[in-house]
């Protein structure tokens, strides 16, 4: 596979989970990949792993909440690999807590990682984006449109990300930059799932509520990203595309569905 040969891909939060799956997919398709996350050890491990697969890869530790750190990382990426073709903003924060239990600092942490972080990544990358032709993918979630108990902070943050997507698609469309949100549902073996659905019985209930009756995979998400970043999607911008097995069509927990069914 070499569909992205010579392309430069920058991914925030790209050292683990869904984001690393996206990075691996682009790398396997020939792209040069640059990853950032807060933990320098995670950056080192991810870059080593990518290089072991034969990828041209580099990274830098940066906290997406800090504009100067993001700017430095994006500049390093451009210095090493040239103009950025594909920008993925994937860094996210999450924990399960009812609104009355979330401190101001806890709410701020998630809003800053998700919303401010997405702004920082797009803002810092703007001078380095290939114009025309660049594609931006912001990682959203079903929480952006479906209210979920224990997720007020995440629902607010992901809805904010989607409006950044739509607004920047409007502002940057004339420059030939496309901006879309990718909205993964429950994806197996990810930190997000472990945090949101911690016990096995709840996982089974979760899967039963998904119309396609299975958890998603890293490849499910990466395939959507690869499509959106390709020329085949050259007329698609400002959209929020779910890759969730229909999860958002059936947000009612199974327990409630059983009750309704009598
Ligand atoms: C209540 C909590 C908490 C919890 C942290 N806080 N965990 N409050 N319940 N379980 C509060 C802390 O008490 C603190 O407030 C504040 O949050 C900041 O915590 P710190 O640990 O000091 O900060 P920091 O390490 O910067 O950030 C915390 C964090 C981060 C946001 C929770 O560790 C994080 O994001 N981890 C998760 C990474 C992750 O899972 N990523 C995937 C996201 S999946 P006080 O007031 O005490 O100072 C996703 C979509 C899922 O986004 C969709 C699936 C369908």
């Amino acid at each position: 596979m070499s569909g992205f040969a010579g392309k430069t891909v920058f991914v925030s939060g790209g050292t683990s989970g869904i984001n690393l799956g996206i990075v691996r997919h682009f790398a396997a398709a020939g792209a040069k990949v640059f990853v950032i996350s807060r933990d320098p050890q995670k950056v080192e491990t991810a870059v080593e792993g990518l290089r072991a697969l034969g990828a041209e890869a580099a990274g830098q530790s940066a906290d997406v909440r800090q504009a100067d750190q993001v700017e430095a990382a994006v500049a390093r990426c451009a210095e090493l690999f040239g103009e950025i073709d594909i920008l993925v903003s994937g860094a996210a924060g999450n924990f399960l807590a009812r609104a009355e239990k979330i401190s101001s600092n806890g709410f701020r942490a998630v809003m800053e990682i998700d919303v401010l972080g997405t702004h920082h990544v797009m803002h810092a990358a703007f001078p380095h984006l290939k114009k025309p032709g660049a594609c931006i993918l912001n990682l959203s979630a079903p929480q952006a449109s479906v209210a979920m108990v224990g997720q007020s902070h995440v629902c607010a943050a992901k809805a904010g990300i989607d409006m950044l997507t739509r607004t920047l698609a409007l502002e940057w469309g004339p420059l030939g930059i496309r901006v879309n949100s990718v909205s993964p549902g429950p994806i197996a073996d990810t930190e997000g799932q472990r945090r949101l659905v911690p016990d096995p019985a709840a996982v089974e209930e979760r899967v039963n509520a998904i119309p396609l009756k299975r958890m998603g995979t890293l490849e499910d998400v990466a395939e959507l990203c690869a499509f959106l970043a390709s020329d085949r999607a050259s007329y698609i911008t400002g959209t929020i595309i779910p890759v969730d097995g229909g999860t958002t069509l059936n947000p009612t927990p199974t327990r409630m569905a059983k009750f309704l069914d009598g």
Side-chain angles (χ1 to χ4, degrees):
M1 210 191 331
S2 60
F4 291 97
K7 301 277 186 188
T8 294
V9 183
F10 180 101
V11 184
S12 77
T15 56
S16 62
I18 289 174
N19 300 321
L20 181 55
I22 295 167
V23 175
R24 285 209 181 106
H25 193 96
F26 280 121
K32 298 172 278 187
V33 291
F34 194 100
V35 294
I36 65 167
S37 79
R38 260 196 298 177
D39 182 348
Q41 187 56 55
K42 282 176 79 176
V43 173
E44 196 180 317
T45 305
V47 169
E48 275 172 13
L50 289 159
R51 287 181 181 158
L53 295 173
E56 201 172 337
Q60 191 158 304
S61 75
D63 185 337
V64 291
R65 291 172 281 195
Q66 305 299 329
D68 56 342
Q69 293 182 22
V70 178
E71 274 164 28
V74 169
R76 179 76 183 133
C77 170
E79 185 182 282
L80 282 176
F81 296 152
E83 281 184 319
I84 296 170
D85 299 281
I86 299 156
L87 178 74
V88 182
S89 174
N94 202 348
F95 54 81
L96 206 51
R98 286 187 177 270
E100 68 273 20
K101 299 271 169 56
I102 304 174
S103 68
S104 174
N105 206 29
F107 200 92
R108 184 183 301 114
V110 171
M111 291 300 286
E112 286 193 350
I113 295 168
D114 287 32
V115 183
L116 191 61
T118 299
H119 167 71
H120 284 159
V121 167
M122 292 195 290
H123 185 274
F126 182 75
H128 304 286
L129 289 174
K130 184 172 172 59
K131 301 185 252 318
C135 163
I136 299 175
L137 300 169
N138 294 324
L139 270 290
S140 183
Q143 283 89 328
S145 58
V146 178
M148 289 185 199
V149 170
Q151 290 282 272
S152 59
H153 47 328
V154 177
C155 292
K158 292 298 190 183
I161 288 175
D162 285 350
M163 281 313 288
L164 284 176
T165 290
R166 300 177 72 211
T167 311
L168 274 286
L170 184 66
E171 290 190 12
W172 293 354
L175 302 171
I177 300 169
R178 293 184 299 110
V179 190
N180 291 290
S181 279
V182 166
S183 179
I187 304 300
D189 302 322
T190 57
E191 176 68 14
Q193 273 312 297
R194 278 188 286 278
R195 281 172 178 256
L196 292 183
V197 193
D199 80 276
V203 171
E204 196 183 327
E205 185 182 54
R206 191 80 204 78
V207 171
N208 274 330
I210 301 170
L212 289 182
K213 299 292 178 197
R214 69 167 175 89
M215 299 280 273
T217 65
L218 298 180
E219 269 306 291
D220 289 328
V221 182
E223 285 287 0
L224 173 59
C225 292
F227 168 69
L228 285 172
S230 75
D231 290 343
R232 286 170 295 155
S234 64
Y235 203 51
I236 300 176
T237 196
T239 63
I240 316 314
I241 304 192
V243 47
D244 68 355
T247 295
T248 42
L249 303 173
N250 189 23
T252 314
T254 311
R255 221 176 296 139
M256 182 60 79
K258 275 184 189 148
F259 172 75
L260 291 169
D261 291 341

